[in-house]
Amino acid sequence: MPETDSVFETAVLLVDCPDRKGILAAIADFIYLHGGNVLHADQHQDNKRGLFFMRIEWDLKDFDLDRKSFQEQFEPIARDFQIDWQLELSRDIPSVAIFVSKYQHCLVDLLYRHQIGELKCKIPLIISNHPDAQVVAGHYGIPYHHVPVEKGHKQEAESAQVELLRQHSVDLVVLARYMQVLSGDFVSAYPRRIINVHHSFLPAFSGAQPYRAAFERGVKLIGATSHYVTEVLDDGPIIEQDVVRISHRDQVEDLTQKGRDLERMVLARAVRWHMDHRILCYGNKSVIFD
Amino acid sequence: MPETDSVFETAVLLVDCPDRKGILAAIADFIYLHGGNVLHADQHQDNKRGLFFMRIEWDLKDFDLDRKSFQEQFEPIARDFQIDWQLELSRDIPSVAIFVSKYQHCLVDLLYRHQIGELKCKIPLIISNHPDAQVVAGHYGIPYHHVPVEKGHKQEAESAQVELLRQHSVDLVVLARYMQVLSGDFVSAYPRRIINVHHSFLPAFSGAQPYRAAFERGVKLIGATSHYVTEVLDDGPIIEQDVVRISHRDQVEDLTQKGRDLERMVLARAVRWHMDHRILCYGNKSVIFD
Amino acid sequence: MPETDSVFETAVLLVDCPDRKGILAAIADFIYLHGGNVLHADQHQDNKRGLFFMRIEWDLKDFDLDRKSFQEQFEPIARDFQIDWQLELSRDIPSVAIFVSKYQHCLVDLLYRHQIGELKCKIPLIISNHPDAQVVAGHYGIPYHHVPVEKGHKQEAESAQVELLRQHSVDLVVLARYMQVLSGDFVSAYPRRIINVHHSFLPAFSGAQPYRAAFERGVKLIGATSHYVTEVLDDGPIIEQDVVRISHRDQVEDLTQKGRDLERMVLARAVRWHMDHRILCYGNKSVIFD
Amino acid sequence: MPETDSVFETAVLLVDCPDRKGILAAIADFIYLHGGNVLHADQHQDNKRGLFFMRIEWDLKDFDLDRKSFQEQFEPIARDFQIDWQLELSRDIPSVAIFVSKYQHCLVDLLYRHQIGELKCKIPLIISNHPDAQVVAGHYGIPYHHVPVEKGHKQEAESAQVELLRQHSVDLVVLARYMQVLSGDFVSAYPRRIINVHHSFLPAFSGAQPYRAAFERGVKLIGATSHYVTEVLDDGPIIEQDVVRISHRDQVEDLTQKGRDLERMVLARAVRWHMDHRILCYGNKSVIFD
């Protein structure tokens, strides 16, 4: 994907509406008439359901609308085509909270990518139910909040977590091998804004101990899956998956080791695509505009 | 894998026994003392269960035992180490029956590989519940048996099939997208000698219409799995799996098309490994000596 | 990729021009005003060179222009934006000639894909410098022309070949492991209309005997590359590449065997993309609109 | 690969000799007679050159020889079969020096793997021609030596580097994107003990700026290669390679980003296999006993 964001200020419009003739023309015209130079446009139709999806990105240099006037001017088109839309500006850097438990490989990976500029976001805080990752957080200069989750007191813990997220105006929650199941209340407060990584190629081996289950079944590939969290465990829209080959020589520990590399790549891609506004969900599936 | 089979006459010994000191030495000595030059030796231990598995292949040029005298001479060692063993000679070309229904891509693929020498076997017959593949069978010069499987009359069909397999002394049955479920009786007559290809990365999407199920779930990779058939549907020891990337643009028909390439490769590898005596099963898992 | 072609009659417009504001709007408007419903639109900019590329596909059901009137009406826009364009209609089924030498795996693969409807084209002829593939051609009902290429007489052979291509109004030439180098004259008669498969991941191991060269170098992956043929051997725009893992146990023959599967997949994808008008070339590179 | 090293004390014997009957028997007997329980044995023949290679690993629990007596007792067998051998004990933890320049992704990756126990080695020092990685080294508690390499003064720098390696009894040098070419003198002081990662699928794009070269050529896959360093740049025995898919949308910066993930995995695998004594080289190729 082109690195235009680093050069220009750009806007991304995500569009979700019933399919109808003229949508592309209407939107392309609108952007052109207001001085925008389209950098990328990608669309997708679901013919069976009659749905239209689009991601369109343009250079803001000569664009004559700000966010507020865009809303006013675009509204008639949106109404006409029944468009569900979302405007994102490259200058609005999202705030990301990372949740972690004891395994730190995904956390370390995300923090390093952030440090070298691969992830264009702020990370105002890390939240963990364990104190272990404090040192790593310190090395990368990110405030660390230890919120223990004790049996029977998950609700208090979640209240504390949500309060922290609100204080820091968090846009996206990344579960970097966070081993607690979030409640429905928590999940519904951040719809399509919580990304998890599960260490199997879902839907195979959902739930606990997927590497052990994969070992027992004798599969020849293991996988990892990043997905949006919904109220049903391991069932949200899949964003990215990848696999690696294993053999009979690999024990559960070897699967765990090989899987770590998968997990961190699959999670990092999902986080990057989310922040680049490349993901649209409908039903329980994702469209990735790459 | 080296192409030694095409050059030398060789023997392969497959060994399955409790792990104990001295097994490798005993077997290596035995082969050496009888004039065999070991070409490959590969072993595997399952430490938790205390099991030992080995595949050892040697040049028969100066080897002074035939099959019968091998049995007599090796028996004391086998008894001592409680070895479950199997001796295979490269000169014994196996007889393979291919079962097919309407989709012919796996059949066509296997027949072409056989024609150019990739699969060192005889294919004395093709059995199908449909007449469709008759033309292809004719092109490759393989006798074709149309055995319809009518509702409520599966048993008669299977009797006819098994009779055909016996007449042709079939060693291996390959289900090349054969869409009928075999009965427990049929399966138990050919233990570890029926290979199926299922069009998903098992255990995900077992059962009917896996491409549709994969599409509905919104996975980002689809797979295919070759496995030995056991009495439980889609549950036998997995031999090989592979995957290919898909996107939201791919409809069920696209998954089906991309999957065909996976299916034929994954099935062909399994058949080749079986015929090269590279597969040992224990529990419900396979060891692939590659 | 969606299977819309099989359902609708569609048109594809391929666009190549200097990047400038308003191109997308101008083209989307044009299609909309003439009654077309855009099914896919994908664009690409080369920012450094200031170039714009687009593939746009629309439903022809209510479209009010035929090819001739399209040309007339679109011309002003094309002139204004300096657009190099190409209009393709799904009803125009291309004619493909397959060239083959002795290795038939790519040929067999293409013919089977064609038979089951994966490749939407006519194959009016197969041309070979050897008689070997005659039987396969016969099985699939394709006329076979044996045009020997004798040392010092390549020019005569090529004249005969080109004459055959003209007689059959061939749109695309597929070199399915055709082992003769085509002359510059031949190549320039079919610019961007000759697809070859080379059995290495170019630019590594260009030229003769790539599997042997890969074996000698001790690489851990082997590849295959499909590309448009240009006057410089193995140097044309790459369309598709893929690789497979090998090990020290694999001899040259094993590489050759593993490579066959790569070659046929990599070639088939290129042919399909070409026929779906998904490929635009500029400089020596390809844009694949997937 | 099984995690036996973490449980047992083991020995690994690497064997390289002319192929002859009885080698396996002789070595298996020897180990058995001295009380060793073989855990893994893997052999490879190069039939064309008549060479035999083996890696054999055994449990030391009841083994009755120490390193010195092994040498004495094994010598007659070694002489008889002209065996070039190497004995490695799992208790001997190797010392690894990491060289780095400005790009730290491979360094960070190796240090994290080391921290969590994936790499069973000591890392007594990091050497760099830049001061940049000092902070990371400090976080992981590894002494950092800044040895500038100034134009025309490479020899002095290398003397200082080699002196440091000697002081710390370094067994293996890992070039984690170290951007200086080592002299022949340096290389020959550490034969088969310097591992480099090159950011292309060698032999394609050897030399400087491989991502730019890959971009210019328009390849559809980019790769990374880990290899032993020899006196010829980018030409030593390849240990591991991997690739990732790119598209026309990827600019040089995107290749660089995608490549970082490849580089660190391909380098980490090579380092692990080296430390597990899984690599034997002959000619300019590697045998990986996996």
Side-chain angles (χ1 to χ4, degrees):
Chain A
M1 294 149 217
E3 289 293 277
T4 49
D5 300 344
S6 58
V7 182
F8 308 104
E9 286 223 344
T10 67
V12 169
L13 181 69
L14 290 172
V15 164
D16 174 348
C17 63
D19 196 11
R20 221 182 84 190
K21 261 185 218 177
I23 306 172
L24 178 63
I27 295 173
D29 275 351
F30 181 85
I31 293 169
Y32 173 58
L33 289 172
H34 290 284
N37 186 27
V38 173
L39 299 168
H40 308 286
D42 195 2
Q43 61 175 75
H44 174 63
Q45 271 101 327
D46 184 318
N47 290 321
K48 273 166 204 153
R49 306 197 193 183
L51 299 176
F52 176 92
F53 307 95
M54 185 164 68
R55 179 188 189 277
I56 188 162
E57 184 171 4
W58 65 94
D59 185 353
L60 286 173
K61 194 159 55 100
D62 302 324
F63 197 64
D64 60 13
L65 300 174
D66 60 10
R67 182 183 280 283
K68 189 155 163 291
S69 49
F70 182 95
Q71 166 130 20
E72 288 162 12
Q73 305 276 323
F74 190 64
E75 199 45 45
I77 295 174
R79 213 177 310 119
D80 187 17
F81 286 98
Q82 300 173 262
I83 296 175
D84 201 356
W85 60 276
Q86 182 184 339
L87 180 72
E88 305 286 351
L89 306 181
S90 64
R91 78 178 67 119
D92 295 339
I93 307 297
S95 279
V96 177
I98 305 179
F99 280 48
V100 69
S101 291
K102 290 198 162 179
Y103 300 119
Q104 299 173 30
H105 53 284
C106 287
L107 174 70
V108 167
D109 184 73
L110 290 170
L111 294 179
Y112 180 70
R113 291 182 197 270
H114 181 247
Q115 187 185 54
I116 65 172
E118 266 192 33
L119 301 178
K120 277 151 209 132
C121 62
K122 289 166 282 184
I123 304 181
L125 78 164
I126 295 166
I127 293 177
S128 179
N129 55 333
H130 292 286
D132 308 48
Q134 173 84 60
V135 178
V136 167
H139 173 56
Y140 285 98
I142 315 280
Y144 187 83
H145 299 267
H146 177 205
V147 181
V149 181
E150 273 149 45
K151 227 174 168 171
H153 296 275
K154 176 177 284 193
Q155 207 181 323
E156 290 93 313
E158 288 201 348
S159 297
Q161 291 166 344
V162 169
E163 179 55 29
L164 283 166
L165 300 183
R166 293 216 174 113
Q167 279 169 21
H168 291 88
S169 306
V170 163
D171 300 294
L172 175 69
V173 173
V174 176
L175 306 183
R177 295 298 309 276
Y178 181 66
M179 307 304 275
Q180 298 285 326
V181 178
L182 300 178
S183 73
D185 281 352
F186 191 125
V187 170
S188 59
Y190 287 88
R192 303 285 184 257
R193 296 203 282 148
I194 308 173
I195 294 178
N196 183 44
V197 62
H198 183 77
H199 38 313
S200 81
F201 46 72
L202 288 175
F205 311 125
S206 60
Q209 298 210 298
Y211 290 133
R212 175 156 299 281
F215 177 77
E216 297 298 343
R217 179 62 187 91
V219 292
K220 300 299 184 186
L221 301 168
I222 56 166
T225 304
S226 51
H227 63 96
Y228 285 115
V229 176
T230 58
E231 301 199 13
V232 183
L233 186 67
D234 295 334
D235 188 57
I238 291 171
I239 302 170
E240 172 65 337
Q241 299 187 294
D242 217 335
V243 295
V244 70
R245 192 160 284 276
I246 59 167
S247 83
H248 60 273
R249 284 185 287 267
D250 290 300
Q251 303 300 305
V252 175
E253 305 77 49
D254 304 299
L255 270 53
T256 304
Q257 178 181 297
K258 288 187 170 184
R260 278 196 290 263
D261 282 332
L262 282 182
E263 293 165 36
R264 53 192 201 168
M265 284 195 298
V266 156
L267 180 58
R269 283 182 214 143
V271 171
R272 197 156 50 217
W273 293 341
H274 179 96
M275 293 189 325
D276 285 349
H277 316 298
R278 297 188 176 281
I279 314 177
L280 255 178
C281 290
Y282 72 104
N284 204 32
K285 299 168 68 167
S286 72
V287 172
I288 310 293
F289 293 111
D290 59 350
Chain B
M1 296 151 217
E3 288 293 277
T4 50
D5 300 343
S6 58
V7 181
F8 308 104
E9 285 222 345
T10 67
V12 169
L13 182 69
L14 290 173
V15 163
D16 174 349
C17 62
D19 195 11
R20 220 182 84 191
K21 261 184 216 177
I23 306 172
L24 177 64
I27 294 173
D29 274 350
F30 180 85
I31 293 168
Y32 173 58
L33 290 172
H34 290 284
N37 186 27
V38 173
L39 299 169
H40 308 286
D42 194 3
Q43 61 174 74
H44 175 63
Q45 271 102 325
D46 184 319
N47 290 320
K48 273 166 204 152
R49 306 196 195 185
L51 298 175
F52 177 94
F53 306 94
M54 185 165 69
R55 179 188 189 275
I56 188 163
E57 183 170 5
W58 65 96
D59 185 355
L60 286 174
K61 191 157 58 97
D62 303 322
F63 197 62
D64 61 14
L65 301 175
D66 61 10
R67 184 183 279 282
K68 188 154 163 294
S69 49
F70 182 94
Q71 167 132 21
E72 288 163 13
Q73 305 277 321
F74 190 65
E75 199 46 44
I77 295 174
R79 213 177 310 120
D80 187 15
F81 286 97
Q82 300 172 261
I83 296 175
D84 201 355
W85 60 275
Q86 181 185 340
L87 180 73
E88 306 285 351
L89 306 180
S90 64
R91 78 179 66 119
D92 296 338
I93 306 297
S95 279
V96 176
I98 305 180
F99 279 48
V100 69
S101 291
K102 290 198 162 178
Y103 300 119
Q104 299 174 31
H105 52 284
C106 287
L107 174 70
V108 167
D109 184 74
L110 290 171
L111 293 179
Y112 180 71
R113 291 183 196 270
H114 180 247
Q115 187 185 55
I116 64 172
E118 264 191 36
L119 300 178
K120 277 149 208 134
C121 61
K122 289 166 282 186
I123 304 180
L125 79 164
I126 294 165
I127 293 177
S128 179
N129 55 332
H130 292 285
D132 310 47
Q134 173 84 59
V135 178
V136 167
H139 172 58
Y140 285 97
I142 314 280
Y144 187 83
H145 298 267
H146 176 205
V147 181
V149 181
E150 273 150 43
K151 227 175 168 171
H153 296 274
K154 176 176 284 192
Q155 208 181 323
E156 289 94 313
E158 287 200 349
S159 297
Q161 291 166 345
V162 169
E163 179 55 29
L164 283 165
L165 299 183
R166 294 218 174 111
Q167 278 170 22
H168 292 87
S169 305
V170 163
D171 300 296
L172 175 69
V173 173
V174 177
L175 305 183
R177 295 299 309 274
Y178 181 66
M179 307 304 276
Q180 297 285 326
V181 178
L182 300 178
S183 73
D185 281 353
F186 190 125
V187 170
S188 59
Y190 288 88
R192 303 283 184 259
R193 296 203 282 148
I194 307 173
I195 294 177
N196 183 45
V197 62
H198 183 77
H199 38 313
S200 80
F201 47 71
L202 289 175
F205 311 125
S206 59
Q209 299 210 296
Y211 290 133
R212 175 157 299 281
F215 176 77
E216 297 297 342
R217 179 62 187 92
V219 292
K220 299 300 183 186
L221 301 167
I222 55 166
T225 304
S226 51
H227 64 96
Y228 285 115
V229 175
T230 58
E231 301 198 11
V232 183
L233 186 67
D234 296 334
D235 188 56
I238 291 170
I239 302 170
E240 173 64 337
Q241 300 187 294
D242 217 335
V243 295
V244 69
R245 192 160 285 277
I246 59 168
S247 85
H248 60 273
R249 283 185 287 266
D250 290 299
Q251 303 300 305
V252 176
E253 307 77 48
D254 305 298
L255 270 51
T256 304
Q257 177 181 298
K258 288 187 170 183
R260 279 196 289 265
D261 282 333
L262 282 182
E263 293 166 35
R264 55 192 201 168
M265 284 196 298
V266 156
L267 180 58
R269 282 182 215 143
V271 171
R272 196 156 52 218
W273 293 341
H274 179 95
M275 294 191 323
D276 286 349
H277 316 298
R278 296 188 177 281
I279 314 177
L280 255 177
C281 290
Y282 72 103
N284 203 33
K285 298 169 68 168
S286 72
V287 172
I288 310 293
F289 293 113
D290 60 350
Chain C
M1 296 150 217
E3 288 293 277
T4 50
D5 299 343
S6 58
V7 181
F8 309 104
E9 286 222 346
T10 67
V12 169
L13 182 69
L14 290 173
V15 164
D16 174 349
C17 62
D19 194 13
R20 219 183 84 192
K21 262 185 216 177
I23 306 172
L24 178 64
I27 294 173
D29 275 349
F30 180 85
I31 292 169
Y32 174 59
L33 290 172
H34 290 284
N37 186 27
V38 173
L39 300 169
H40 308 285
D42 194 2
Q43 61 174 75
H44 174 64
Q45 271 101 326
D46 184 319
N47 290 320
K48 272 165 206 156
R49 305 196 195 186
L51 298 176
F52 176 94
F53 306 95
M54 185 164 69
R55 180 188 188 275
I56 189 162
E57 183 171 4
W58 65 95
D59 184 356
L60 286 174
K61 192 157 58 95
D62 303 322
F63 198 63
D64 62 12
L65 301 175
D66 61 9
R67 184 184 279 282
K68 188 154 162 293
S69 50
F70 182 95
Q71 167 130 22
E72 288 162 12
Q73 306 277 323
F74 190 64
E75 200 46 45
I77 294 174
R79 213 176 309 119
D80 187 15
F81 286 97
Q82 300 173 262
I83 297 176
D84 201 355
W85 60 275
Q86 180 185 341
L87 180 72
E88 305 286 351
L89 306 180
S90 64
R91 78 179 66 119
D92 296 338
I93 306 297
S95 280
V96 176
I98 305 179
F99 280 48
V100 69
S101 290
K102 291 198 161 179
Y103 300 119
Q104 298 173 30
H105 52 283
C106 287
L107 173 69
V108 166
D109 184 73
L110 291 170
L111 293 180
Y112 180 70
R113 291 183 196 270
H114 180 247
Q115 188 186 53
I116 65 171
E118 265 191 36
L119 300 178
K120 277 150 209 132
C121 61
K122 289 167 281 186
I123 305 181
L125 78 164
I126 295 165
I127 294 177
S128 180
N129 54 333
H130 294 286
D132 309 47
Q134 173 84 61
V135 178
V136 166
H139 172 58
Y140 286 97
I142 314 280
Y144 188 83
H145 299 266
H146 176 205
V147 182
V149 181
E150 272 149 45
K151 229 176 164 168
H153 296 274
K154 175 177 284 192
Q155 208 182 322
E156 289 93 312
E158 289 200 347
S159 297
Q161 291 166 345
V162 168
E163 179 55 29
L164 282 165
L165 299 183
R166 294 219 174 112
Q167 279 169 21
H168 292 87
S169 305
V170 163
D171 301 295
L172 176 69
V173 173
V174 177
L175 306 183
R177 297 298 309 275
Y178 182 66
M179 306 303 276
Q180 298 285 326
V181 177
L182 299 178
S183 73
D185 281 352
F186 191 125
V187 169
S188 59
Y190 288 88
R192 303 283 185 261
R193 297 204 281 148
I194 307 173
I195 295 177
N196 183 44
V197 61
H198 184 78
H199 39 314
S200 81
F201 46 72
L202 289 174
F205 310 125
S206 59
Q209 300 210 295
Y211 290 133
R212 174 155 300 282
F215 177 77
E216 298 297 343
R217 180 61 188 93
V219 292
K220 300 299 182 186
L221 300 167
I222 55 165
T225 304
S226 51
H227 63 96
Y228 285 114
V229 176
T230 57
E231 302 199 12
V232 182
L233 186 67
D234 297 333
D235 188 56
I238 291 171
I239 303 170
E240 173 65 336
Q241 300 187 293
D242 217 336
V243 295
V244 68
R245 192 159 283 277
I246 58 167
S247 84
H248 60 273
R249 285 185 285 268
D250 289 301
Q251 303 300 305
V252 176
E253 306 77 48
D254 305 298
L255 270 52
T256 304
Q257 178 181 296
K258 289 187 170 184
R260 279 196 289 263
D261 282 333
L262 282 183
E263 293 165 35
R264 54 192 201 168
M265 283 195 299
V266 156
L267 180 58
R269 282 182 215 144
V271 171
R272 197 156 51 216
W273 293 341
H274 179 96
M275 295 191 323
D276 286 348
H277 316 297
R278 297 188 177 283
I279 314 177
L280 255 178
C281 290
Y282 72 104
N284 204 32
K285 300 170 68 168
S286 72
V287 172
I288 311 292
F289 293 112
D290 59 351
Chain D
M1 296 150 216
E3 288 292 278
T4 50
D5 300 341
S6 57
V7 181
F8 308 104
E9 287 224 342
T10 67
V12 169
L13 182 70
L14 290 173
V15 163
D16 174 349
C17 62
D19 195 11
R20 220 182 84 190
K21 262 185 217 176
I23 306 172
L24 178 64
I27 294 173
D29 275 351
F30 181 85
I31 292 169
Y32 173 58
L33 289 172
H34 289 285
N37 186 28
V38 173
L39 299 168
H40 307 286
D42 194 3
Q43 62 175 74
H44 174 64
Q45 271 101 325
D46 184 319
N47 290 320
K48 272 164 206 155
R49 306 197 194 184
L51 299 176
F52 175 94
F53 306 95
M54 186 164 69
R55 180 188 188 275
I56 189 162
E57 183 171 5
W58 65 96
D59 185 355
L60 286 174
K61 192 157 58 98
D62 303 323
F63 197 63
D64 61 13
L65 301 175
D66 61 9
R67 183 183 280 282
K68 189 156 163 293
S69 49
F70 182 94
Q71 167 132 21
E72 288 163 13
Q73 305 277 323
F74 189 65
E75 200 44 45
I77 295 173
R79 214 176 309 117
D80 188 14
F81 286 97
Q82 300 173 261
I83 296 175
D84 201 356
W85 60 274
Q86 181 184 342
L87 180 72
E88 305 286 351
L89 306 181
S90 64
R91 78 178 68 119
D92 295 339
I93 307 297
S95 280
V96 176
I98 305 179
F99 279 48
V100 69
S101 291
K102 290 199 162 177
Y103 301 120
Q104 299 173 30
H105 52 284
C106 288
L107 174 70
V108 167
D109 184 73
L110 291 170
L111 293 180
Y112 180 70
R113 291 181 197 271
H114 182 247
Q115 187 186 53
I116 64 171
E118 266 191 36
L119 300 178
K120 278 151 207 132
C121 61
K122 288 167 282 185
I123 305 181
L125 78 164
I126 295 165
I127 293 177
S128 179
N129 54 332
H130 293 286
D132 309 47
Q134 173 83 61
V135 178
V136 167
H139 173 57
Y140 286 98
I142 314 280
Y144 188 83
H145 298 266
H146 177 206
V147 181
V149 182
E150 272 149 44
K151 228 175 166 170
H153 297 273
K154 176 177 285 193
Q155 206 181 325
E156 290 93 313
E158 288 201 348
S159 299
Q161 291 166 343
V162 169
E163 179 55 29
L164 282 165
L165 299 182
R166 293 215 175 114
Q167 279 169 22
H168 292 88
S169 305
V170 163
D171 300 293
L172 175 69
V173 173
V174 176
L175 306 182
R177 297 296 311 275
Y178 182 66
M179 306 304 275
Q180 297 286 326
V181 178
L182 299 178
S183 72
D185 281 351
F186 190 124
V187 170
S188 59
Y190 288 88
R192 303 285 185 258
R193 297 204 281 149
I194 307 173
I195 294 178
N196 183 44
V197 62
H198 184 78
H199 39 313
S200 81
F201 47 73
L202 288 175
F205 311 125
S206 59
Q209 298 209 298
Y211 290 133
R212 175 155 299 282
F215 176 78
E216 297 298 342
R217 180 61 188 93
V219 293
K220 299 300 183 185
L221 301 168
I222 56 166
T225 304
S226 50
H227 64 96
Y228 285 115
V229 175
T230 58
E231 302 199 12
V232 183
L233 186 66
D234 296 333
D235 187 56
I238 291 170
I239 303 171
E240 173 64 338
Q241 299 187 295
D242 216 334
V243 295
V244 69
R245 191 160 285 276
I246 59 167
S247 84
H248 59 273
R249 284 185 287 267
D250 289 300
Q251 303 300 305
V252 175
E253 306 77 49
D254 304 299
L255 271 52
T256 304
Q257 178 181 297
K258 289 187 170 184
R260 278 196 290 263
D261 282 333
L262 282 182
E263 293 165 36
R264 53 192 200 168
M265 284 196 298
V266 155
L267 180 58
R269 283 182 214 142
V271 172
R272 197 155 50 217
W273 293 340
H274 179 96
M275 294 190 324
D276 286 349
H277 316 297
R278 298 190 175 279
I279 314 177
L280 256 178
C281 291
Y282 73 104
N284 204 32
K285 299 168 70 167
S286 72
V287 172
I288 310 292
F289 292 112
D290 59 349

